[in-house]
Each structure stands twice: as structure tokens, then as C-alpha cells.
């Protein structure tokens, strides 16, 4: 099987010769070649420059026998396209260029011409596909409306994201207006990514776990369901909702074909409960890759054993790669999953 065939077969619950593997944030700061490029260009410039975004996307594929590339970008390109730019704070974390704190500011967000505004992402995908060839899967992604709204209303990274909950409770009509604009923008954006060559898409509901349980459906999942429904099954959709694996049945109701689990979930039990309703992706703890090759191989084998032989499993991390991950640990991981030593 080619890597692309392997990935798509697993996504569609079909038998494979071995589990496909890709890693969230596989392109990034743990790679010396990325750090070298980052010393010359800031993050946002790299995202907006198709040649640089394609180069970063391909860097891990040159080192490791990964089955899929995921385009180098950021979830916050959608708020930027709506009119609320973003940057990275000197002390760390994300900052939005202004606070989305009034009705007038929310009403001013413009969800039209998203594909035109984010053409640089489509160009990066097209360029990556031309360099990648046809044998490796290429993934696109976005943030969920809820997760994007958390950053937009809070003004950036935060510990508790209090303001988005206050908005949802205190001004439900204004909250709905914001979520509808985000949803409309994301639908257009994802269709654009598919048109540009994406074989599958991942939706990151990274802050789903801050929703009160009784509001998770109304505040987050129904918008994700609408997005997936509007994609008309063109490509498989992966849903990653950090901290929400216990809601797997609800996650599946969105129409996602693959449920990506964090490291807190027991993979064997989750596969039994999900059954043939969806493929499963996950869920090695990213911290494993900061330890030793021996520990990495042991933990990777444990994940494989828990996943079992049932079709529909994609090996991944339980969250994004962290900057202190070691190259030799990633190599050891790849050897366990693919059976190939790094060249």
C-alpha cells in the first residue's frame, strides 16, 4: 500500500498492512531545520508565504516515514480573515490584535470572500502536493468555531476563558451571531482546502473541555455538525476534542469519520465502545518523545497493543508534538509503528 492508500483505508475502516501514522505538530520547533528557518522568518510570515509553508510541511517527511503531511498553518487564520488579526506575545501565547468585546465589533466581522483572503493556504496546499507527489496523504485543518471564539472574545490565550462563557450566557443572540459567522467562514475555508488537494481534514476543538457538560452540544458540537454536513462527505473529517473522549458518542454524531483521542483515554475500551461507528486516532502522550528511545518504543507498543487489530486505527499523539521532543525518540516511534529503521 502507498502511505496515502493506507491512511484513507484506515480512515474508512478498511484493512491495512499496518496502522498509518502522522503526528500532530510534526512540523515544528523540535526539528533543527525548522528552527533554522524560523530564525530567518517569523511564524506568521511563514504561514502566509506558500513556499515557506510548503517547505515546513515537508521537513518531517524527509526525516521520517510518515503516511501523511499536514499543511503548516494556524487555526487563527480564520479570525484574521474575518477581520481580527493575531500575533504571538513576547512572553508566550497567542494575542489577538484587538478584543472582541462589543456588539459592534462582532457585527463588523466579515465572513465573505474567505477563500480569496486565505488563498495563500490553498497555494501552500497545491505547492505541497506537487512536491509531495501522489503517494502520501495531505491533510488540511481548522479550529472549531467554539475554540476560535474562545481566543477571539478573550483577546488571546487565557487560563479559564471566562468571557466566552459570559457571552454565551448573557448575550445568547450575539453569541449565535459570532458562531454563525465563524461556521460560515470555516465551511468555505475547508471546501477551499479540499479543492487545493487535501485528502482529509482535522477539526481541532481544543477548548471543548471548558464547556459545561450540559452546553457542549449547543455551544460547540452543533456547529461542528453543521460544518461536516456542509462538506457533503467530500473527504474524511477527523475530530480532535481535547479532554472530551468520554463524549465519543456525541462526537460521532457530528458526522466525523475519525475520532482523535488524547492520552487520558483507554484506547482498548474506546475502540470497543465506538465499534464500527468511526475510526480512532491517537493517543501516545507527547511527553513520551522527550524521554528515551527505549521508553518511547515501549509506550508506542503499548498503544499498538491497546488499539488491537480491528480496522480503523491511525497512530498519532494525544496532543501536539512539544518543542523538547527528541529526534531519536521520534525515530524510535517510527520504527515500532512502521517496522522500518530510519535511513
Amino acid at each position: 500500500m502507498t502511505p496515502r492508500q493506507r491512511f484513507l483505508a484506515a480512515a474508512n475502516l478498511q484493512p491495512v498492512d499496518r496502522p498509518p501514522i502522522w503526528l500532530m505538530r510534526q512540523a515544528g520547533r523540535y526539528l533543527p531545520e525548522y528552527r533554522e528557518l524560523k530564525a530567518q522568518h517569523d511564524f506568521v510570515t511563514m504561514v502566509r508565504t506558500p513556499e515557506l509553508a510548503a517547505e515546513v510541511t515537508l521537513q518531517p517527511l524527509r526525516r521520517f516515514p510518515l503516511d501523511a503531511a499536514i499543511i503548516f498553518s494556524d487555526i487563527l487564520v480564520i479570525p484574521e480573515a474575518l477581520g481580527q488579526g493575531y500575533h504571538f506575545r513576547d512572553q508566550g501565547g497567542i494575542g489577538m490584535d484587538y478584543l472582541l468585546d462589543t456588539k459592534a465589533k462582532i457585527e463588523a466581522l466579515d465572513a465573505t470572500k474567505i477563500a480569496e483572503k486565505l488563498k495563500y493556504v490553498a497555494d501552500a496546499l497545491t505547492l505541497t502536493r506537487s512536491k509531495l507527489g501522489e503517494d502520501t496523504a495531505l491533510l488540511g485543518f481548522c479550529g472549531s468555531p467554539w475554540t476560535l471564539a474562545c481566543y477571539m472574545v478573550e483577546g488571546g490565550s487565557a487560563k479559564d476563558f471566562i468571557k466566552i462563557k459570559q457571552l454565551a450566557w448573557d448575550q445568547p443572540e450575539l453569541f449565535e451571531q459570532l458562531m454563525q459567522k465563524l461556521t460560515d467562514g470555516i465551511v468555505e475555508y475547508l471546501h477551499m482546502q479540499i479543492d487545493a488537494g487535501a485528502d482529509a481534514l482535522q477539526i481541532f476543538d481544543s477548548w471543548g473541555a471548558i464547556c459545561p457538560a450540559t452546553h457542549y452540544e449547543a455551544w460547540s458540537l452543533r456547529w461542528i455538525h453543521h460544518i461536516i454536513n456542509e462538506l457533503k462527505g467530500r473527504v474524511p473529517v477527523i475530530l480532535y476534542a481535547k479532554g472530551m473522549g468520554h463524549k465519543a458518542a456525541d462526537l460521532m454524531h457530528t458526522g466525523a469519520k475519525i475520532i482523535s483521542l488524547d492520552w487520558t483515554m483507554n484506547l482498548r475500551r474506546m475502540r470497543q465502545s465506538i465499534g464500527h461507528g468511526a475510526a480512532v486516532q491517537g493517543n501516545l502522550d507527547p511527553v513520551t518523545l522527550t524521554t528515551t528511545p527505549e521508553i518511547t518504543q515501549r509506550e508506542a507498543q503499548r498503544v499498538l497493543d491497546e488499539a488491537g487489530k480491528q480496522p480503523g486505527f491511525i497512530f498519532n499523539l494525544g496532543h501536539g508534538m512539544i518543542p523538547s521532543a527528541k529526534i531519536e525518540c521520534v525515530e524510535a516511534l517510527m520504527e515500532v509503528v512502521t517496522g522500518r529503521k530510519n535511513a
Side-chain angles (χ1 to χ4, degrees), residues 65-109:
L66 295 151
D67 292 290
I70 183 165
I71 196 65
F72 179 74
S73 188
D74 196 273
I75 64 172
L76 296 175
V77 297
I78 285 286
E80 180 181 59
L82 294 179
Q84 186 187 23
Y86 68 101
H87 57 274
F88 290 86
R89 296 167 177 160
D90 292 338
Q91 66 273 31
I94 294 161
M96 306 306 293
D97 289 355
Y98 63 86
L99 196 60
L100 199 66
D101 57 354
T102 67
K103 185 173 187 284
K105 288 178 183 177
I106 290 175
E107 289 179 342
L109 294 173

Side-chain angles (χ1 to χ4, degrees), residues 284-303 315 326 328-330 332-333 336:
L284 183 71
D285 189 328
V287 176
T288 306
L289 299 176
T290 69
T291 59
T292 66
E294 293 75 23
I295 292 171
T296 299
Q297 291 197 320
R298 185 182 73 217
E299 290 300 300
Q301 189 59 55
R302 180 189 57 75
V303 171
F315 196 108
K326 298 175 183 175
E328 60 268 30
C329 289
V330 182
L333 166 62
V336 170

Side-chain angles (χ1 to χ4, degrees), residues 22 35 50 52 65 92 142 190 194 208 260 273 336 343:
W22 70 279
R35 294 196 297 271
L52 294 174
C142 70
L190 294 183
I194 298 168
S260 192
S273 66
V336 170

Side-chain angles (χ1 to χ4, degrees), residues 108-122:
L109 294 173
D110 181 9
T112 64
K113 299 182 179 176
I114 295 297
E116 183 180 315
K117 295 170 186 172
L118 297 180
K119 183 175 180 294
Y120 60 83
V121 179

Side-chain angles (χ1 to χ4, degrees), residues 265-275 306:
M265 306 306 296
N266 182 290
L267 203 51
R268 181 177 287 111
R269 284 203 291 269
M270 290 305 300
R271 297 212 73 196
Q272 289 170 348
S273 66
I274 289 173
E306 286 189 359

Side-chain angles (χ1 to χ4, degrees), residues 25-38:
R25 288 203 204 119
Q26 62 191 24
R29 288 174 288 175
Y30 75 105
L31 292 174
E33 55 268 40
Y34 175 85
R35 294 196 297 271
E36 189 177 320
L37 206 59
K38 183 72 165 56

